[in-house]
Amino acid sequence: MAVAQQPVSLGDDEYEEQGAWQRLAYIGRLLRRDRGGMIGSVLFVLIVLTAMFAPVIAPHDPLKQNLRAAKQPPAWTEEGTWEYPLGTDNLGRDMFSRIIYGTRVSLTVGFFGVLIACMLGLISGLVAGYRGGTIDNVLMSIINLFLAIPYLVIVVVIASILGRSLFIVILIFGITDSPLFARVTRGEVLRIRQSGYVESARSAGASNFRIQFDHILPNLIGPLITLATFEMSAMIFYEAGLGFLGLSVPPSVPSWGNMLAQGRKYLDIYPWIAIYPGIAIAITALSFNLLGDWLRDVLDPRLRRSR
Amino acid sequence: MQRYLISRVIQSIFLLGGVLVVVFFMIRLTGDPASLMVSRNASEEMREAFREKMGFNRPLYVQFSDYLYGVLQGDFGNSLHFKQPAREIILERLPATFQLATIALLGAVIIAVPIGIIGGSNPGSFVDSLGRALGLLGQTIPNFWLALILILVFAVNLRWFPTFGRDSYLSVVLPAIALGLGSMGQLVRLTRSAVLEIRNDDYIRTAKSKGISQLKIGLRHIARNTSLVLISVIGVIYSYLLGGSIYIEIIFSWPGLGSLLEQAIKSRDFPLVMGITITFSFFVIFINLLTDIAYAFIDPRIRYGG
């Protein structure tokens, strides 16, 4: 990270009409120039594969209790065995398998939560920024209102009212996070609306709909994808936090937050139950943040991280 | 300037009114607030009596205007669990939350700002690498997990600090570290990028070409302009720390608003939950207002502008 960054964008002549493979090769070339982006994307692919092939990778059934094997320490300690690489929890369930399955909950919440937030925010931000006037004022007031209530407080309170289920958790995150996306979209729309190419499109007689879809929308993709990456990482944090309070998915589901909540009870005697799910969260957050930093550099050369 | 300040104050009052509406309707999301607050195995008569007692069977607008009237007088209703006014319990817990958030903020600023300024002035140096590492750490380590690890290492194994409570002045150390690390990382990143940006501005080049010493440029131009960026950020971070302390307060049994919120949720004490949410929001809005006022005083573009 300490080395000075090379410029990441290639000349325009290299990015002309290309096939899909050439584009992939181009992205590969960009990645090789940025160590952080490389680490982030490799980790990201590994995490997604872990979630997809969890039943194949996991050595045990994550729900199967085995009280005779309960509270076994990790394999590299004296009493540990390689049958349970990261040890077992208080009910004798394999920690390693549970962490692998936990990837699924975290990624599902992160992905769908961000998808809902991004869609809602994109639509309202686009309308507010492009139309202006009363609609803009009303939408901005609603957004400011949501940002005035501490995020964690409102999420915890709503989750406690609506109850524990994956669907509700995703919906809460999707709706409460959408103001952030709306604000970024609106800011970008206001900037793009003033640009020369929108003006020339309008003077050429393009309809409002066409200007929004052909000229403004493509320019929003960069900033929104970057924001989505960081927000996915934030949502994975918040989901684990809710699980820690016992407000996320039902306790029977292996999720990192639920595991941490259990580990906390046995912190002083069986610390590994709390340690490893946290490391899983940190690695996931690291991957998303490195990827987000890299995407910001590549998609928006104006905002380069290290000038 | 005066007009700007007045419009900001009015805006804040409207925001607070909006928060009241949101909080009031939030607990009615499921349709029946009584079933939310009464235990599940209560009989229908008990529920009906509860509705009668809380006034849930009156028209919604009457309930809302009553609640609004109460809150304007500082009355959040009675806590169902503690059987005393919610306001008293909240006021009792408020200082602890402020103490924790303030110490976490001060710690984060004292460590992060120098690292950010030195690192930003010397990109690629050791301090710069340290700052980048801190920035990344702050973003990737969940504070509730960090809290558990800190307890495990410094309280359980080394016994340097107490594991929970707020009995001695040492008690605040671990919770403040756990709470402040994320904000510290954020501050390092922001300070660094602000300095990097300012360093290349035209007036710095002019000052340099006039032969003004490095130290003077640093103090007069870079530090001043960085502080403009920092003031707006520190307000946001402070309000985040106040509301974000829930996990930390619970883990360390810190007697503040966050752990009170958890208790209130667990005992389905929704009048108290509403009161706590409104209190939190009030301080967030208030801090944002103060930040904007401070900014207006420092930034001449606003001072002489509107």
Side-chain angles (χ1 to χ4, degrees):
Chain A
M1 293 296 285
V3 257
Q5 302 281 324
Q6 289 169 329
V8 275
S9 61
L10 300 179
D12 283 337
D13 48 316
E14 285 188 58
Y15 192 75
E16 279 166 10
E17 296 298 313
Q18 296 165 332
W21 278 113
Q22 277 157 315
R23 273 188 192 210
L24 269 182
Y26 173 75
I27 293 173
R29 253 180 299 155
L30 284 183
L31 262 182
R32 241 178 304 157
R33 296 183 183 192
D34 186 305
R35 209 182 336 152
M38 193 72 195
I39 298 171
S41 45
V42 167
L43 280 178
F44 176 73
V45 170
L46 283 179
I47 292 165
V48 172
L49 288 178
T50 307
M52 279 165 71
F53 298 105
V56 186
I57 306 168
H60 295 271
D61 178 350
L63 300 175
K64 197 173 152 247
Q65 302 180 3
N66 180 1
L67 287 177
R68 265 185 302 175
K71 297 156 189 167
Q72 283 206 19
W76 44 82
T77 56
E78 267 173 40
E79 302 102 81
T81 59
W82 277 103
E83 203 192 340
Y84 302 105
L86 298 182
T88 57
D89 68 4
N90 54 319
L91 296 173
R93 295 173 295 196
D94 178 36
M95 290 289 297
F96 186 52
S97 308
R98 287 176 73 74
I99 286 177
I100 288 172
Y101 272 85
T103 318
R104 291 185 154 186
V105 177
S106 289
L107 285 193
T108 310
V109 171
F111 181 77
F112 287 103
V114 163
L115 193 69
I116 294 173
C118 192
M119 285 297 152
L120 289 176
L122 177 65
I123 294 168
S124 50
L126 197 58
V127 171
Y130 194 76
R131 289 290 157 84
T134 320
I135 300 180
D136 188 22
N137 284 334
V138 171
L139 278 173
M140 282 314 288
S141 316
I142 296 176
I143 288 169
N144 282 333
L145 181 59
F146 266 91
L147 296 175
I149 308 176
Y151 188 71
L152 193 57
V153 174
I154 195 174
V155 166
V156 166
V157 172
I158 297 180
S160 72
I161 291 170
L162 294 180
R164 309 178 76 154
S165 87
L166 187 62
F167 179 71
I168 286 175
V169 169
I170 290 174
L171 211 59
I172 293 174
F173 283 144
I175 292 173
T176 50
D177 205 36
S178 59
L180 208 57
F181 283 88
R183 206 167 54 166
V184 170
T185 308
R186 178 178 172 273
E188 285 293 309
V189 171
L190 286 179
R191 194 177 58 77
I192 298 166
R193 209 172 57 159
Q194 308 291 329
S195 66
Y197 55 87
V198 168
E199 205 175 311
S200 58
R202 190 171 292 129
S203 62
S207 65
N208 276 336
F209 185 78
R210 174 139 189 201
I211 291 174
Q212 286 184 43
F213 266 78
D214 284 3
H215 299 288
I216 294 182
L217 205 56
N219 283 298
L220 292 174
I221 292 173
L224 286 185
I225 285 186
T226 309
L227 182 63
T229 318
F230 288 120
E231 284 309 297
M232 243 183 250
S233 153
M235 271 185 205
I236 289 172
F237 264 38
Y238 280 116
E239 191 279 325
L242 277 188
F244 186 71
L245 295 185
L247 292 170
S248 183
V249 289
S252 58
V253 179
S255 83
W256 295 338
N258 288 350
M259 295 170 76
L260 273 177
Q262 218 159 34
R264 185 187 158 207
K265 291 182 210 151
Y266 304 98
L267 187 64
D268 43 352
I269 4 175
Y270 316 114
W272 59 90
I273 306 179
I275 290 176
Y276 295 111
I279 293 179
I281 299 172
I283 291 175
T284 312
L286 181 73
S287 137
F288 279 99
N289 278 297
L290 288 175
L291 199 63
D293 278 344
W294 176 72
L295 281 172
R296 179 166 51 195
D297 290 354
V298 174
L299 296 174
D300 191 355
R302 283 172 304 136
L303 277 175
R304 213 160 285 159
R305 177 178 19 154
S306 46
R307 263 171 276 211
Chain B
M1 171 92 168
Q2 225 168 17
R3 254 179 51 200
Y4 171 78
L5 291 185
I6 292 170
S7 79
R8 278 296 287 118
V9 171
I10 294 174
Q11 216 179 330
S12 303
I13 293 171
F14 270 101
L15 263 185
L16 205 56
V19 169
L20 281 179
V21 177
V22 169
V23 170
F24 178 80
F25 285 100
M26 203 159 59
I27 68 150
R28 286 159 178 82
L29 270 179
T30 53
D32 181 15
S35 62
L36 208 61
M37 300 184 209
V38 180
S39 81
R40 281 196 186 82
N41 39 26
S43 69
E44 191 46 47
E45 289 86 60
M46 281 164 78
R47 251 171 236 201
E48 198 48 56
F50 183 77
R51 271 185 209 119
E52 185 71 35
K53 189 180 132 216
M54 300 292 288
F56 288 147
N57 42 12
R58 296 172 302 160
L60 217 52
Y61 66 89
V62 177
Q63 291 182 44
F64 181 68
S65 61
D66 254 27
Y67 190 69
L68 185 67
Y69 188 69
V71 170
L72 285 180
Q73 295 174 317
D75 176 14
F76 294 126
N78 275 341
S79 156
L80 300 176
H81 178 72
F82 295 96
K83 314 273 188 233
Q84 52 168 320
R87 183 189 54 182
E88 282 174 21
I89 307 164
I90 291 173
L91 285 180
E92 199 183 288
R93 297 290 199 106
L94 205 54
T97 294
F98 268 96
Q99 185 198 10
L100 180 57
T102 311
I103 291 177
L105 180 75
L106 286 180
V109 170
I110 290 170
I111 297 171
V113 172
I115 292 180
I117 290 180
I118 298 172
S121 314
N122 312 289
S125 65
F126 169 72
V127 178
D128 190 35
S129 314
L130 180 76
R132 284 164 152 238
L134 278 179
L136 208 56
L137 268 185
Q139 276 181 317
T140 48
I141 295 186
N143 59 17
F144 42 91
W145 182 67
L146 179 65
L148 294 180
I149 301 298
L150 288 176
I151 290 182
L152 193 62
V153 176
F154 294 104
V156 175
N157 286 334
L158 294 174
R159 295 176 190 279
W160 289 355
F161 301 101
T163 47
F164 64 87
R166 189 188 172 221
D167 304 319
S168 75
Y169 62 96
L170 278 177
S171 308
V172 79
V173 176
L174 294 183
I177 294 175
L179 183 62
L181 185 82
S183 304
M184 187 177 80
Q186 204 184 354
L187 268 173
V188 172
R189 282 170 82 103
L190 286 165
T191 316
R192 177 176 178 275
S193 63
V195 171
L196 277 174
E197 198 167 324
I198 293 164
R199 219 163 65 103
N200 293 329
D201 275 349
D202 287 341
Y203 53 85
I204 302 287
R205 207 173 309 145
T206 312
K208 264 188 205 153
S209 63
K210 273 160 60 180
I212 295 173
S213 73
Q214 280 286 352
L215 185 71
K216 230 173 176 178
I217 294 177
L219 287 178
R220 183 169 292 175
H221 296 290
I222 296 186
R224 233 190 204 179
N225 283 293
T226 311
S227 68
L228 260 178
V229 178
L230 286 181
I231 280 178
S232 57
V233 176
I234 283 175
V236 174
I237 287 182
Y238 194 39
S239 52
Y240 165 79
L241 288 176
L242 281 175
S245 62
I246 300 179
Y247 302 131
I248 306 299
E249 289 191 5
I250 294 168
I251 294 171
F252 288 96
S253 305
W254 188 259
L257 274 190
S259 52
L260 183 67
L261 181 68
E262 194 219 14
Q263 280 175 28
I265 283 174
K266 280 208 170 133
S267 54
R268 316 203 74 70
D269 187 352
F270 278 90
L272 190 54
V273 170
M274 290 164 82
I276 295 171
T277 313
I278 291 170
T279 311
F280 268 130
S281 309
F282 171 77
F283 283 108
V284 170
I285 294 171
F286 187 64
I287 290 168
N288 286 344
L289 181 65
L290 284 187
T291 311
D292 281 358
I293 292 174
Y295 204 85
F297 270 104
I298 294 173
D299 192 342
R301 280 166 300 189
I302 301 179
R303 204 189 317 154
Y304 299 117

